Amino acid sequence: MEARFENLLKVIGLQKYSHSGRLGQIPPYLFAEIGRKIEAARKAGVDMISFGIGDPDMPTPAHVVEELGRASRDPRNHQYPDYEGLLAFREAVASWYKRRHNVSLDPVSEVLALIGSKEGSLHLSLAFVNPGDYALVPNPCYTPYRTGTILANGLVHDLPLLEENGFLPQLGKIPKEVVKKAKVLYLSYPNNPTGAVAGMEFYREVVDFANDNGLIVCSDNPYSEIAFDGYRPLSFLEVPGAKDVGVEFNSLSKPYNMTGWRVGMAVGNPEIISAMATVKNNVDSGVFNAIQYAAIAALLRTPDSEIGRLNSVYQKRRDLVWETLNSVGIRTGRPKATFYMWCRVPERHTSASFATLLLEKAGVVVTSGAAYGRYGEGFFRMSLTVPDARLAEAMGRIKDALA
Ligand SMILES: *Cc1c(COP(=O)(O)O)cnc(C)c1O
């Protein structure tokens, strides 16, 4: 049973209105909490360097910003957008998937614009999950899979992501009675927070498992372009039969430094896309058309060399953090993709105690692994979205603090 934080406030008289049971089950949003800690320290005059939130520090490419300017001056773009996205946007997504992954998508029935891919999890849950249905959710994970399920009155079954399994879930270990009541399986590789990647063999197993058990697969793939050492992440939809059992979410946020713009997409199985679109049509009214035109420019007109340049910045940072942490005895992988380092806390520390130590001794903010679920305990996450000079400064401080 999850703690009912908010309703507790009501009971002790600090809050006037009782929240729904759904909201009561949701812990405070991870980054809101970190944000408050940083704010308090900043007010106290501490020079903090935050590796907390995964939010690219580099600017959106100029051609994308220009396109927003142009499109925003066209009065036709000032009216309500089509809730499912401009056809031109959906065509751009389809052509990007074809070029990048050799996946064919029908822009009309197999692509849906999202206001950032985060909202996709809730809308998928509202479309398919009934009270008492399970969602199979990796643990640790990006929290919206879990909270989206809870907000739809669904139940969460944790799939432990363990280091010894390369942070892939063991589908064969899910109890049969849970599988019977499960509706959705969430996956996300390259993975936030662990930086792990998945190969074709794993995805084939996923397709078979979903077919055998009538599951909807949701592959969340916002890091498909952030990769190093020549590695090229797959799309789940590259696997034969994937489109029969699932959808993929993707987003402009990470590859094009567009987190603030709020634009992403769901692609794949037309029946799932159509049900999500029905929910969205009743909740929001789509993405500002001018932003969709800018997104088209990002998808179709960003040279590969630009993505390569951004990746080489992250790769250098990854190597510097890896060397520094190793030199002070902290064990961490050297991820092939994503801008996250998933690191073991030193012995005799918990995730929270070590995050607090880095905060107090080095003025460095990291995320406690436990914030992503209980199987994240014993780890902390560092996001490589910190400008080079500040990152170097932080590495010096960590060395001093832990020497
Ligand atoms: C950043 C991120 C997203 C993208 O979110 P947007 O809402 O598109 O900005 C989705 N999933 C994961 C796992 C992420 O880390």
Side-chain angles (χ1 to χ4, degrees):
M1 199 65 201
E2 308 252 355
R4 298 229 188 294
F5 302 96
E6 306 292 345
N7 287 340
L8 201 65
L9 294 178
K10 170 82 169 81
V11 170
I12 61 176
L14 289 175
Q15 188 181 289
K16 184 172 164 196
Y17 301 108
S18 66
H19 290 168
S20 65
R22 293 183 292 275
L23 192 55
Q25 283 180 65
I26 292 185
Y29 187 59
L30 184 56
F31 298 116
E33 186 120 306
I34 290 172
R36 276 194 292 277
K37 265 192 193 162
I38 297 171
E39 207 37 51
R42 212 165 255 154
K43 273 196 187 132
V46 180
D47 173 34
M48 310 283 285
I49 304 175
S50 178
F51 293 83
I53 190 164
D55 190 349
D57 56 302
M58 293 178 277
T60 306
H63 66 282
V64 180
V65 179
E66 305 243 312
E67 180 61 8
L68 174 68
R70 187 205 62 76
S72 71
R73 285 187 289 275
D74 182 343
R76 282 172 302 179
N77 293 331
H78 298 172
Q79 295 184 291
Y80 284 121
D82 299 328
Y83 67 92
E84 73 276 22
L86 288 163
L87 182 59
F89 171 76
R90 289 177 288 148
E91 284 170 347
V93 169
S95 101
W96 185 89
Y97 260 88
K98 185 70 194 170
R99 183 172 81 88
R100 171 64 179 86
H101 294 292
N102 199 24
V103 167
S104 300
L105 295 166
D106 171 17
V108 174
S109 63
E110 296 178 338
V111 180
L112 175 66
L114 297 177
I115 307 173
S117 60
K118 184 195 245 178
E119 52 116 321
S121 311
L122 174 61
H123 289 133
L124 180 75
S125 302
L126 290 175
F128 291 103
V129 174
N130 278 316
D133 288 346
Y134 275 102
L136 306 174
V137 179
N139 185 327
C141 82
Y142 178 65
T143 49
Y145 317 142
R146 168 179 303 272
T147 52
T149 303
I150 292 170
L151 288 175
N153 285 331
L155 301 172
V156 172
H157 179 81
D158 287 321
L159 306 180
L161 301 189
L162 306 177
E163 192 172 17
E164 66 255 36
N165 302 321
F167 299 109
L168 297 172
Q170 292 182 289
L171 302 176
K173 291 215 166 153
I174 307 169
K176 288 222 159 46
E177 60 281 12
V178 171
V179 175
K180 232 184 257 166
K181 289 194 281 177
K183 203 71 192 278
V184 184
L185 165 62
Y186 284 101
L187 296 172
S188 181
Y189 295 96
N191 185 254
N192 169 12
T194 66
V197 298
M200 204 48 122
E201 206 174 310
F202 172 71
Y203 283 142
R204 282 189 213 279
E205 187 194 332
V206 168
V207 170
D208 288 344
F209 184 76
N211 270 321
D212 291 347
N213 298 293
L215 290 173
I216 291 169
V217 177
C218 176
S219 159
D220 185 24
N221 199 4
Y223 297 100
S224 66
E225 304 316 293
I226 311 222
F228 316 118
D229 311 323
Y231 177 71
R232 296 281 276 167
L234 297 175
S235 160
F236 170 65
L237 296 175
E238 288 177 43
V239 193
K243 211 196 276 178
D244 297 331
V245 296
V247 288
E248 185 155 279
F249 295 168
N250 213 321
S251 171
L252 284 278
S253 288
K254 308 295 164 53
Y256 306 109
N257 304 331
M258 289 174 73
T259 47
W261 297 59
R262 313 312 303 134
V263 57
M265 57 279 207
V267 302
N269 184 283
E271 189 186 325
I272 302 170
I273 294 292
S274 156
M276 287 181 67
T278 302
V279 175
K280 279 180 63 62
N281 192 19
N282 287 285
V283 177
D284 60 62
S285 295
V287 179
F288 179 28
N289 280 341
I291 289 182
Q292 294 189 59
Y293 282 112
I296 294 169
L299 290 168
L300 301 186
R301 293 204 273 117
T302 305
D304 290 344
S305 59
E306 174 63 10
I307 300 288
R309 188 185 65 80
L310 296 171
N311 281 340
S312 71
V313 172
Y314 292 131
Q315 183 170 325
K316 276 202 196 100
R317 293 176 184 174
R318 175 199 69 169
D319 291 342
L320 177 59
V321 171
W322 187 83
E323 274 162 33
T324 306
L325 294 181
N326 269 285
S327 76
V328 296
I330 291 174
R331 198 156 63 72
T332 173
R334 201 184 268 220
K336 279 200 257 189
T338 78
F339 42 57
Y340 300 113
M341 306 290 284
W342 186 240
C343 321
R344 276 271 179 204
V345 301
E347 264 179 50
R348 289 188 295 281
H349 268 288
T350 64
S351 291
S353 74
F354 192 67
T356 306
L357 180 140
L358 285 177
L359 189 81
E360 290 172 350
K361 292 251 166 84
V364 165
V365 178
V366 301
T367 328
S368 149
Y372 302 93
R374 65 196 171 98
Y375 293 95
E377 179 51 53
F379 292 88
F380 64 96
R381 193 195 76 174
M382 295 183 79
S383 170
L384 300 171
T385 51
V386 176
D388 293 349
R390 293 290 278 168
L391 185 127
E393 154 85 18
M395 292 306 108
R397 290 192 201 174
I398 288 177
K399 270 191 171 165
D400 291 344
L402 300 180

